[in-house]
């Protein structure tokens, strides 16, 4: 089974749909808050030229999804599926951000449940590449049941080369973890 990297996925808390070039204004508006990026290795991603490169790279990846509030249709962030760094049978979910209005709730968990559940229908494992010093993202990924591996990768970000640690979730970990109940609540 081939993985559709640009599905439409819905949950009562978040809807994901394929990104298009027309999403630029709304995604930039959601991402231009410097506080979103404060603990991130690319702490300058809120700046227009840096976010433009991030956006263009996401579109070029062929797996970028836009996150919207189902209640309002407002764009609240993005994420993507990517095959570039995974091992055989594995796909990366990452390059995710959410507007601060979505922090502290379950939107990120619902978004990850949709993406991981969708990916594991076709793949053996999902990987997450997180900046080694990005404590907020590392804590969030551990809370959804991802396991830290011994693997690391270096990615060249706008701020320079950054070491990333790799977390993974397989089918058994997903089925027995905190995302499975959210996946069961999906609308599509």
């Amino acid at each position: 089974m081939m993985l559709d990297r640009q599905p439409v996925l819905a949950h009562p808390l978040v809807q994901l749909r394929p990104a298009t070039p027309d999403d630029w204004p709304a995604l930039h508006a959601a991402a231009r808050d410097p506080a979103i990026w404060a603990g991130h290795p690319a702490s300058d991603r809120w700046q227009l030229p840096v976010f433009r490169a991030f956006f263009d790279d996401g579109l070029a990846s062929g797996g970028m999804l836009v996150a919207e509030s189902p209640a309002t249709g407002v764009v609240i962030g993005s994420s993507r599926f990517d095959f570039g760094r995974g091992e055989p049978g594995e796909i990366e979910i990452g390059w995710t951000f959410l507007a601060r209005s979505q922090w502290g709730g379950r939107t990120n968990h619902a978004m990850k449940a949709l993406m991981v559940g969708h990916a594991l229908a076709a793949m053996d494992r999902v990987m997450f590449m997180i900046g080694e010093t990005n404590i907020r993202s590392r804590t969030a990924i551990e809370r959804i049941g991802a396991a830290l591996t011994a693997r690391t990768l270096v990615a060249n970000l706008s701020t320079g080369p950054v070491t990333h640690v790799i977390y993974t979730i397989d089918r058994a970990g997903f089925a027995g973890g905190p995302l499975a109940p959210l996946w069961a609540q999906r609308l599509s």
Side-chain angles (χ1 to χ4, degrees):
M1 175 182 190
M2 276 300 287
L3 177 69
D4 176 2
R5 292 188 308 135
Q6 287 205 301
V8 172
L9 302 168
H11 183 277
L13 297 174
V14 65
Q15 178 167 311
L16 300 172
R17 62 166 176 78
T20 71
D22 292 340
D23 290 313
W24 164 253
L27 269 176
H28 180 248
R32 66 179 174 222
D33 177 355
I36 292 173
W37 310 102
H40 193 277
S43 58
D44 60 351
R45 196 170 281 160
W46 61 273
Q47 297 174 8
L48 190 139
V50 178
F51 189 77
R52 184 76 216 194
F54 173 84
F55 178 81
D56 290 345
D57 186 55
L59 287 179
S61 77
M64 186 176 183
L65 300 174
V66 170
E68 296 175 330
S69 166
T72 64
V74 171
V75 170
I76 56 173
S78 71
S79 192
R80 74 170 107 150
F81 291 111
D82 200 312
F83 281 115
R85 290 165 286 277
E87 293 182 349
E90 189 174 78
I91 190 163
E92 177 185 357
I93 292 176
W95 307 93
T96 304
F97 84 92
L98 281 171
R100 283 195 303 149
S101 63
Q102 303 304 306
W103 291 9
R106 299 186 51 82
T107 304
N108 185 49
H109 288 181
M111 191 158 92
K112 292 295 190 297
L114 290 172
M115 293 182 75
V116 172
H118 175 75
L120 290 177
M123 307 300 295
D124 298 328
R125 204 172 35 260
V126 171
M127 69 163 279
F128 302 91
M129 189 174 94
I130 311 259
E132 188 174 45
T133 62
N134 188 345
I135 302 306
R136 183 175 66 223
S137 290
R138 289 185 68 173
T139 300
I141 211 70
E142 289 168 4
R143 284 184 181 149
I144 65 165
L148 181 63
T149 71
R151 295 163 42 203
T152 61
L153 290 169
V154 175
N156 289 312
L157 303 179
S158 56
T159 53
V162 175
T163 299
H164 288 72
V165 294
I166 306 300
Y167 287 82
T168 62
I169 295 177
D170 61 16
R171 288 183 185 119
F174 178 69
L179 295 181
L182 292 167
W183 173 245
Q185 296 169 350
R186 71 190 177 282
L187 303 173
S188 63

